[in-house]
Amino acid sequence: MPDRSSSSAPSRPAAPALRRRTVLTLAAAGASAGLGLPALAQARAVRIGVTLDHSSVEKANGTGLFLGSSACFAAINKAGGIHGAKVELQLADDQFKPDVAKANALAFAADPAVLAILHPLGTRQASEVSDAVPGLPVVGPNTGTVALRRKNTPNTFWVRANYDQEIDRLVAQAVTLGQTRIGLVHSNDPLGQSLLAGFNAALAKAKLEPAIIATTPNTISMEVEPAAKRIAEARPHVVIVGLAGTAPAFVKALRAAGGKSSAYGLSITAGSLSAMGDLAHGLGFSIVVPSPFATRHEIVRRYQADMLAAGQQTFSLPSLEGYVNARVLAEGLRRAGPGASRAQLMAALESIEGYELGGMKISFGRGNREGSQFVDVAVIGAGGRLLT
């Protein structure tokens, strides 16, 4: 099947903050029979907490992550669970608010049946979650902020590559195409500062100077017009869009201001592509998982089969990332053994080295908490096709 893009996963009813919903994962896919998980009677359950945005500016990314991880565990449960235990995901909507994400994490930690927290979404949200529950494993935070990874948070297992790696790849791509006047737009907050540092380092490596650097007030601010006008006036060959849910508004404002620069987004832009409509055509962006249509990869074939079995017809980068995160956590649970504690799960995750997912390789251990080095560049072609 040719690579192509798709709209973000269908929306679900908004869930109030702190409200929990247990996902009874009953669907399955035949492709998951090869996971090597024992098909034993399921007399007990393992609970995994999920705190992310399910109703606000990052709802598209949050919904995608959750659909992917839900499909993964649905298939695992149908195949017998993990050591005979069914895995239940409990979702708490944090509305992309760091304080709510922290409260959700503390509530999960108070439940002894919750063994881990899966893919919190956002830089400040992930930081609050990891710091609040040091004894609870946190797997696959959806942020590539390098500063967070340098903190002493041994409970946190990063699956995706970091933003420095993404920006370095985008700058290298631009230089290869002869685009040497490179600008950046970023939010004026911890996420944005991390992106700025990575941008400056990548340009220094390429022996270039920034063509223009513009900022928006913060991650969720829709006040993007001033930054768009500055970029349009500077006329860089390419602008790296260091924004997530607000990226569509920025690109629209850039084009409205007469800006004709090529736009390269980060992986966090992926969940917003459907909101860009025709403006997405020609947009390049970094991806930290393979294309969800690249069926040459085993991980993508399994993902597609399990999504379809779960009743999900739409494939997307966020849902594939959620699926990958779930597969990594499932491997940790398998290694931890039946009736594992949180500490045993943490040790099991540490033992993962060279874990081949079929298109991606995950390695933790020896103090390393950054599992994947996978970064590629994709472009939205005619008709919304995802080209890699």
Side-chain angles (χ1 to χ4, degrees):
M1 181 183 297
D3 288 0
R4 63 185 185 275
S5 71
S6 66
S7 60
S8 60
S11 62
R12 298 187 175 208
L18 295 174
R19 173 183 159 198
R20 296 270 177 79
R21 180 171 58 199
T22 299
V23 179
L24 301 178
T25 48
L26 301 177
S32 292
L35 287 174
L37 303 174
L40 303 176
Q42 298 178 350
R44 64 195 188 287
V46 170
R47 295 177 188 165
I48 304 299
V50 179
T51 176
L52 45 69
D53 184 4
H54 199 62
S55 61
S56 188
V57 66
E58 288 297 324
K59 179 181 177 179
N61 278 325
T63 298
L65 288 167
F66 189 66
L67 289 177
S69 54
S70 296
C72 179
F73 283 120
I76 288 174
N77 288 341
K78 183 67 174 183
I82 301 178
H83 300 298
K86 181 173 65 176
V87 180
E88 295 179 352
L89 297 183
Q90 292 192 315
L91 173 65
D93 181 14
D94 59 34
Q95 303 170 24
F96 208 57
K97 297 178 180 178
D99 58 333
V100 179
K102 177 181 179 179
N104 290 346
L106 290 171
F108 286 136
D111 181 352
V114 174
L115 285 190
I117 293 177
L118 186 61
H119 46 52
L121 169 61
T123 297
R124 290 180 297 165
Q125 293 77 2
S127 178
E128 291 286 358
V129 167
S130 293
D131 290 345
V133 292
L136 191 61
V138 179
V139 178
N142 190 254
T143 173
T145 304
V146 174
L148 290 188
R149 302 179 185 217
R150 292 175 178 165
K151 292 174 58 178
N152 183 25
T153 51
N155 66 319
T156 305
F157 295 83
W158 309 91
V159 176
R160 58 160 40 224
N162 65 53
Y163 291 143
D164 281 7
Q165 292 168 310
E166 291 190 48
I167 293 176
D168 191 68
R169 183 71 174 82
L170 291 175
V171 168
Q173 178 79 3
V175 171
T176 298
L177 297 175
Q179 299 171 316
T180 55
R181 296 192 65 251
I182 305 172
L184 171 72
V185 58
H186 67 88
S187 52
N188 190 17
D189 55 17
L191 166 62
Q193 293 304 314
S194 174
L195 298 181
L196 176 60
F199 177 72
N200 286 332
L203 286 190
K205 183 178 177 180
K207 298 181 179 179
L208 297 173
E209 294 292 330
I212 179 68
I213 295 174
T215 63
T216 65
N218 55 59
T219 306
I220 63 175
S221 174
M222 300 303 290
E223 189 181 337
V224 297
E225 288 83 2
K229 288 178 180 178
R230 288 196 62 206
I231 297 292
E233 290 169 0
R235 299 182 181 180
H237 294 146
V238 60
V239 56
I240 294 178
V241 183
L243 306 172
T246 60
F250 171 80
V251 174
K252 290 177 183 178
L254 177 65
R255 299 310 182 214
K260 300 185 183 301
S261 305
S262 297
Y264 285 1
L266 296 175
S267 59
I268 52 175
T269 309
S272 304
L273 293 179
S274 63
M276 293 187 185
D278 292 340
L279 287 177
H281 181 225
L283 175 68
F285 57 98
S286 52
I287 57 177
V288 293
V289 293
S291 162
F293 297 95
T295 52
R296 64 185 180 276
H297 297 300
E298 179 187 357
I299 185 64
V300 175
R301 295 194 298 272
R302 287 187 171 182
Y303 154 80
Q304 287 190 359
D306 291 347
M307 286 286 283
L308 291 172
Q312 299 299 328
Q313 304 294 319
T314 300
F315 305 145
S316 68
L317 288 163
S319 61
L320 177 53
E321 183 172 348
Y323 183 87
V324 167
N325 291 337
R327 284 288 300 275
V328 172
L329 176 54
E331 177 64 12
L333 291 167
R334 185 189 67 78
R335 295 184 183 210
S341 66
R342 294 169 178 175
Q344 288 171 324
L345 174 56
M346 207 175 301
L349 288 164
E350 277 187 333
S351 75
I352 294 176
E353 292 190 54
Y355 176 47
E356 181 58 61
L357 285 171
M360 294 180 67
K361 185 175 291 186
I362 307 296
S363 292
F364 297 123
R366 300 194 182 101
N368 173 54
R369 288 294 185 274
E370 297 194 63
S372 172
Q373 306 296 312
F374 182 95
V375 182
D376 201 356
V377 176
V379 177
I380 302 298
R385 296 168 64 90
L386 180 62
L387 309 175
T388 56

